[in-house]
Amino acid sequence: MNIVLLGAPGSGKGTQASLITEKYGLPHISTGDMFRENIREKTPLGVLAQSYIDKGQLVPDDVTVKMVAERLSRDDCKKGFLLDGFPRTLSQAQALEKIVKVTCVLDIDVPLEKLLGRLTGRRCCEKCGESFHVSVIGNTEICPKCGGRLYTRADDNEATVQSRLDVYVSQTASLIDYYKEKGVLRRVNGDAPVNEVFAEAEKAMGI
Ligand code: AP5
Ligand code: MG
Protein backbone atom coordinates (compact mmCIF):
# COMPACT_ATOMS: atom_id res chain seq x y z
CA MET A 1 0.00 0.00 0.00
CA ASN A 2 1.62 3.18 -1.23
CA ILE A 3 -0.95 5.73 -0.12
CA VAL A 4 -1.16 9.50 -0.53
CA LEU A 5 -3.50 11.59 1.62
CA LEU A 6 -4.66 14.58 -0.36
CA GLY A 7 -6.88 17.26 1.15
CA ALA A 8 -6.95 20.92 2.05
CA PRO A 9 -5.38 22.25 5.26
CA GLY A 10 -7.58 21.06 8.14
CA SER A 11 -9.41 18.42 6.11
CA GLY A 12 -8.26 15.75 8.58
CA LYS A 13 -5.17 14.25 6.92
CA GLY A 14 -3.25 13.97 10.19
CA THR A 15 -6.26 12.67 12.10
CA GLN A 16 -6.94 9.92 9.56
CA ALA A 17 -3.23 9.13 9.13
CA SER A 18 -2.94 8.48 12.82
CA LEU A 19 -5.89 6.01 12.73
CA ILE A 20 -4.61 4.27 9.58
CA THR A 21 -1.10 3.96 11.03
CA GLU A 22 -2.39 2.62 14.33
CA LYS A 23 -4.42 -0.11 12.64
CA TYR A 24 -2.26 -1.02 9.66
CA GLY A 25 1.24 -0.12 10.82
CA LEU A 26 2.19 1.89 7.74
CA PRO A 27 4.90 4.52 8.29
CA HIS A 28 3.24 7.95 8.47
CA ILE A 29 5.23 10.47 6.47
CA SER A 30 3.98 14.01 7.05
CA THR A 31 6.06 16.68 5.35
CA GLY A 32 4.57 19.30 7.69
CA ASP A 33 5.68 17.27 10.74
CA MET A 34 9.15 16.77 9.23
CA PHE A 35 9.55 20.51 8.66
CA ARG A 36 8.32 21.30 12.18
CA GLU A 37 10.83 18.83 13.63
CA ASN A 38 13.60 20.60 11.70
CA ILE A 39 12.33 23.96 12.97
CA ARG A 40 12.43 22.67 16.57
CA GLU A 41 15.97 21.40 16.08
CA LYS A 42 17.00 24.66 14.35
CA THR A 43 18.58 22.84 11.38
CA PRO A 44 19.36 24.83 8.18
CA LEU A 45 16.34 23.12 6.56
CA GLY A 46 14.20 24.19 9.52
CA VAL A 47 15.31 27.82 9.24
CA LEU A 48 14.50 27.85 5.53
CA ALA A 49 11.15 26.05 5.95
CA GLN A 50 10.02 28.36 8.72
CA SER A 51 10.31 31.43 6.50
CA TYR A 52 7.69 29.89 4.17
CA ILE A 53 5.48 28.12 6.73
CA ASP A 54 5.03 31.29 8.80
CA LYS A 55 3.57 33.01 5.73
CA GLY A 56 1.38 30.05 4.80
CA GLN A 57 3.37 29.44 1.62
CA LEU A 58 4.83 26.20 0.29
CA VAL A 59 8.45 25.31 0.96
CA PRO A 60 10.27 25.15 -2.43
CA ASP A 61 9.82 21.92 -4.40
CA ASP A 62 13.51 20.96 -4.69
CA VAL A 63 14.07 21.00 -0.92
CA THR A 64 10.79 19.20 -0.20
CA VAL A 65 11.30 16.48 -2.81
CA LYS A 66 14.83 15.80 -1.57
CA MET A 67 13.59 15.38 2.00
CA VAL A 68 10.80 12.99 0.96
CA ALA A 69 13.03 10.96 -1.38
CA GLU A 70 15.46 10.37 1.46
CA ARG A 71 12.63 9.30 3.79
CA LEU A 72 11.10 6.92 1.23
CA SER A 73 14.47 5.23 0.68
CA ARG A 74 14.50 3.90 4.23
CA ASP A 75 13.74 0.23 4.92
CA ASP A 76 10.46 0.80 6.74
CA CYS A 77 8.88 2.08 3.50
CA LYS A 78 9.61 -1.10 1.53
CA LYS A 79 6.20 -2.62 2.40
CA GLY A 80 4.23 0.57 1.89
CA PHE A 81 3.77 4.04 3.33
CA LEU A 82 1.27 6.77 4.03
CA LEU A 83 2.22 10.17 2.66
CA ASP A 84 0.42 13.07 4.37
CA GLY A 85 0.68 16.49 2.74
CA PHE A 86 2.93 15.42 -0.14
CA PRO A 87 2.71 15.98 -3.09
CA ARG A 88 1.21 19.49 -3.13
CA THR A 89 2.30 20.67 -6.57
CA LEU A 90 2.37 19.11 -10.02
CA SER A 91 6.14 19.16 -9.96
CA GLN A 92 6.20 17.25 -6.63
CA ALA A 93 3.73 14.68 -8.05
CA GLN A 94 5.93 14.15 -11.11
CA ALA A 95 9.02 13.78 -8.94
CA LEU A 96 7.24 11.24 -6.72
CA GLU A 97 6.27 9.20 -9.76
CA LYS A 98 9.94 8.79 -10.62
CA ILE A 99 10.68 7.41 -7.14
CA VAL A 100 7.77 5.07 -6.47
CA LYS A 101 4.36 3.94 -7.75
CA VAL A 102 1.44 5.40 -5.81
CA THR A 103 -1.37 2.84 -5.51
CA CYS A 104 -4.11 4.91 -3.86
CA VAL A 105 -4.76 8.62 -3.40
CA LEU A 106 -7.39 9.49 -0.81
CA ASP A 107 -8.88 12.92 -1.32
CA ILE A 108 -10.43 13.99 1.99
CA ASP A 109 -13.11 16.37 0.85
CA VAL A 110 -14.42 19.11 3.18
CA PRO A 111 -16.15 22.35 2.09
CA LEU A 112 -13.49 25.08 2.22
CA GLU A 113 -15.64 27.37 4.40
CA LYS A 114 -15.50 24.83 7.25
CA LEU A 115 -11.71 24.71 7.42
CA LEU A 116 -10.88 28.06 9.02
CA GLY A 117 -12.80 27.11 12.18
CA ARG A 118 -11.25 23.65 12.28
CA LEU A 119 -7.74 25.09 12.13
CA THR A 120 -8.06 28.06 14.46
CA GLY A 121 -9.67 25.70 17.02
CA ARG A 122 -7.04 22.98 16.70
CA ARG A 123 -4.83 22.04 19.64
CA CYS A 124 -1.83 19.72 19.18
CA CYS A 125 -0.06 17.59 21.75
CA GLU A 126 3.64 18.25 22.32
CA LYS A 127 4.18 14.66 23.46
CA CYS A 128 2.10 12.31 21.24
CA GLY A 129 1.54 14.67 18.28
CA GLU A 130 -2.23 14.07 18.17
CA SER A 131 -4.59 16.92 17.08
CA PHE A 132 -7.81 17.82 18.84
CA HIS A 133 -10.45 20.51 18.51
CA VAL A 134 -11.54 22.89 21.26
CA SER A 135 -15.18 22.16 20.44
CA VAL A 136 -14.56 18.57 21.56
CA ILE A 137 -12.00 18.89 24.38
CA GLY A 138 -12.83 22.37 25.69
CA ASN A 139 -10.19 24.81 26.90
CA THR A 140 -7.90 22.28 28.57
CA GLU A 141 -4.11 22.45 28.18
CA ILE A 142 -3.70 18.73 28.88
CA CYS A 143 -3.80 16.08 26.13
CA PRO A 144 -6.80 13.76 26.68
CA LYS A 145 -4.86 10.88 25.13
CA CYS A 146 -1.45 10.97 26.85
CA GLY A 147 -1.49 13.80 29.40
CA GLY A 148 1.10 15.85 27.46
CA ARG A 149 0.90 19.63 27.02
CA LEU A 150 -1.30 21.04 24.27
CA TYR A 151 -0.23 23.96 22.07
CA THR A 152 -1.58 25.94 19.11
CA ARG A 153 0.44 25.68 15.89
CA ALA A 154 2.10 28.97 14.87
CA ASP A 155 0.47 28.78 11.43
CA ASP A 156 -3.06 28.24 12.79
CA ASN A 157 -3.86 31.97 13.13
CA GLU A 158 -6.58 33.36 10.88
CA ALA A 159 -4.36 35.29 8.42
CA THR A 160 -1.93 32.39 7.84
CA VAL A 161 -4.76 29.86 7.52
CA GLN A 162 -6.36 32.05 4.84
CA SER A 163 -3.12 32.10 2.89
CA ARG A 164 -2.72 28.29 3.28
CA LEU A 165 -6.24 27.82 1.89
CA ASP A 166 -5.47 30.13 -1.06
CA VAL A 167 -2.28 28.17 -1.77
CA TYR A 168 -4.25 24.92 -1.66
CA VAL A 169 -6.74 26.20 -4.23
CA SER A 170 -4.11 27.65 -6.57
CA GLN A 171 -1.36 25.00 -6.33
CA THR A 172 -2.65 21.72 -4.89
CA ALA A 173 -6.32 21.20 -5.82
CA SER A 174 -5.41 20.41 -9.45
CA LEU A 175 -3.75 17.19 -8.25
CA ILE A 176 -7.26 15.77 -7.79
CA ASP A 177 -7.68 15.71 -11.58
CA TYR A 178 -4.08 14.59 -12.05
CA TYR A 179 -4.64 11.45 -9.96
CA LYS A 180 -8.17 10.93 -11.29
CA GLU A 181 -6.69 10.59 -14.76
CA LYS A 182 -4.25 8.01 -13.45
CA GLY A 183 -7.17 6.00 -12.02
CA VAL A 184 -5.91 5.97 -8.42
CA LEU A 185 -8.04 8.73 -6.87
CA ARG A 186 -10.62 7.83 -4.20
CA ARG A 187 -12.81 10.56 -2.75
CA VAL A 188 -13.72 10.39 0.92
CA ASN A 189 -16.29 12.68 2.52
CA GLY A 190 -14.31 14.43 5.25
CA ASP A 191 -17.28 16.42 6.49
CA ALA A 192 -18.47 13.68 8.82
CA PRO A 193 -17.52 12.33 12.27
CA VAL A 194 -13.88 11.13 12.44
CA ASN A 195 -14.81 7.43 12.74
CA GLU A 196 -17.15 7.61 9.76
CA VAL A 197 -14.43 9.24 7.67
CA PHE A 198 -12.07 6.45 8.74
CA ALA A 199 -14.57 3.72 7.79
CA GLU A 200 -15.01 5.32 4.37
CA ALA A 201 -11.23 5.64 3.98
CA GLU A 202 -10.75 1.93 4.75
CA LYS A 203 -13.36 1.03 2.16
CA ALA A 204 -11.74 3.35 -0.39
CA MET A 205 -8.32 1.79 0.23
CA GLY A 206 -9.85 -1.66 -0.30
CA ILE A 207 -8.76 -2.95 3.11
P1 AP5 B 1 0.91 20.57 7.17
O1 AP5 B 1 1.38 20.36 8.53
O2 AP5 B 1 0.78 19.40 6.28
O3 AP5 B 1 -0.45 21.38 7.23
P2 AP5 B 1 -1.74 21.39 6.28
O4 AP5 B 1 -1.69 20.73 4.99
O5 AP5 B 1 -2.09 22.83 6.25
O6 AP5 B 1 -2.73 20.49 6.99
P3 AP5 B 1 -2.99 20.45 8.51
O7 AP5 B 1 -1.96 19.62 9.20
O8 AP5 B 1 -3.18 21.85 9.03
O9 AP5 B 1 -4.42 19.76 8.55
P4 AP5 B 1 -4.79 18.22 8.49
O10 AP5 B 1 -5.45 17.95 7.17
O11 AP5 B 1 -3.67 17.33 8.91
O12 AP5 B 1 -5.96 18.21 9.58
P5 AP5 B 1 -5.99 17.62 11.08
O13 AP5 B 1 -6.17 16.14 11.03
O14 AP5 B 1 -4.90 18.15 11.93
O15 AP5 B 1 1.86 21.64 6.44
C1 AP5 B 1 2.21 22.85 7.11
C2 AP5 B 1 3.08 23.70 6.20
O16 AP5 B 1 4.29 23.00 5.87
C3 AP5 B 1 2.46 24.09 4.85
O17 AP5 B 1 1.63 25.23 4.96
C4 AP5 B 1 3.71 24.35 4.02
O18 AP5 B 1 4.25 25.60 4.33
C5 AP5 B 1 4.68 23.28 4.53
N1 AP5 B 1 4.57 22.06 3.73
C6 AP5 B 1 4.09 20.85 4.14
N2 AP5 B 1 4.12 19.96 3.14
C7 AP5 B 1 4.62 20.61 2.06
C8 AP5 B 1 4.87 20.21 0.72
N3 AP5 B 1 4.58 18.97 0.28
N4 AP5 B 1 5.40 21.13 -0.10
C9 AP5 B 1 5.70 22.39 0.33
N5 AP5 B 1 5.48 22.82 1.56
C10 AP5 B 1 4.93 21.93 2.43
O19 AP5 B 1 -7.39 18.26 11.55
C11 AP5 B 1 -7.56 19.65 11.69
C12 AP5 B 1 -8.56 19.98 12.80
O20 AP5 B 1 -9.84 19.45 12.45
C13 AP5 B 1 -8.21 19.34 14.17
O21 AP5 B 1 -8.61 20.20 15.19
C14 AP5 B 1 -9.03 18.05 14.19
O22 AP5 B 1 -9.34 17.65 15.50
C15 AP5 B 1 -10.28 18.48 13.40
N6 AP5 B 1 -10.87 17.38 12.64
C16 AP5 B 1 -10.24 16.37 11.97
N7 AP5 B 1 -11.12 15.55 11.39
C17 AP5 B 1 -12.36 16.06 11.68
C18 AP5 B 1 -13.70 15.64 11.37
N8 AP5 B 1 -13.93 14.56 10.62
N9 AP5 B 1 -14.72 16.41 11.80
C19 AP5 B 1 -14.49 17.52 12.57
N10 AP5 B 1 -13.26 17.94 12.94
C20 AP5 B 1 -12.21 17.22 12.48
MG1 MG C 1 -1.61 17.63 9.33
Side-chain angles (χ1 to χ4, degrees):
M1 289 192 282
N2 296 344
I3 299 166
V4 166
L5 286 181
L6 205 61
S11 58
K13 300 183 295 295
T15 303
Q16 294 303 320
S18 153
L19 293 170
I20 296 169
T21 300
E22 205 171 290
K23 189 157 173 188
Y24 299 102
L26 290 175
H28 173 202
I29 304 173
S30 157
T31 39
D33 287 349
M34 290 165 90
F35 287 135
R36 282 185 289 277
E37 199 181 317
N38 276 278
I39 291 171
R40 269 194 302 277
E41 289 170 4
K42 300 189 168 60
T43 67
L45 173 61
V47 173
L48 176 85
Q50 184 160 28
S51 64
Y52 292 92
I53 292 176
D54 282 352
K55 288 184 247 163
Q57 292 169 1
L58 295 182
V59 179
D61 285 338
D62 54 345
V63 177
T64 307
V65 167
K66 195 169 156 215
M67 177 177 79
V68 172
E70 189 283 320
R71 181 64 189 86
L72 288 175
S73 72
R74 294 195 209 161
D75 277 352
D76 64 339
C77 293
K78 297 274 183 293
K79 286 187 183 155
F81 53 79
L82 184 60
L83 274 171
D84 161 2
F86 182 95
R88 285 190 205 224
T89 64
L90 182 59
S91 147
Q92 290 181 11
Q94 288 165 339
L96 178 62
E97 217 163 64
K98 287 188 191 140
I99 303 170
V100 77
K101 190 175 158 48
V102 169
T103 52
C104 175
V105 176
L106 289 180
D107 175 34
I108 307 178
D109 189 17
V110 178
L112 285 183
E113 64 273 15
K114 298 214 170 165
L115 298 173
L116 180 67
R118 277 200 187 187
L119 289 172
T120 51
R122 173 168 56 187
R123 300 293 176 267
C124 306
C125 177
E126 255 175 20
K127 203 167 153 197
C128 70
E130 200 76 17
S131 290
F132 305 92
H133 198 272
V134 287
S135 63
V136 178
I137 60 165
N139 266 332
T140 177
E141 284 177 9
I142 308 294
C143 173
K145 193 175 165 191
C146 77
R149 235 173 56 94
L150 296 177
Y151 68 97
T152 301
R153 255 169 59 175
D155 59 347
D156 277 349
N157 63 80
E158 197 168 330
T160 311
V161 168
Q162 197 49 61
S163 137
R164 287 159 60 197
L165 293 174
D166 292 345
V167 164
Y168 169 76
V169 170
S170 63
Q171 299 190 57
T172 307
S174 62
L175 292 182
I176 295 173
D177 283 340
Y178 178 83
Y179 283 119
K180 209 182 273 176
E181 274 166 32
K182 297 201 175 291
V184 289
L185 188 89
R186 305 281 178 272
R187 181 189 168 273
V188 172
N189 176 22
D191 188 15
V194 171
N195 288 341
E196 284 180 27
V197 180
F198 180 53
E200 215 187 301
E202 283 186 295
K203 221 183 281 170
M205 289 186 289
I207 50 181

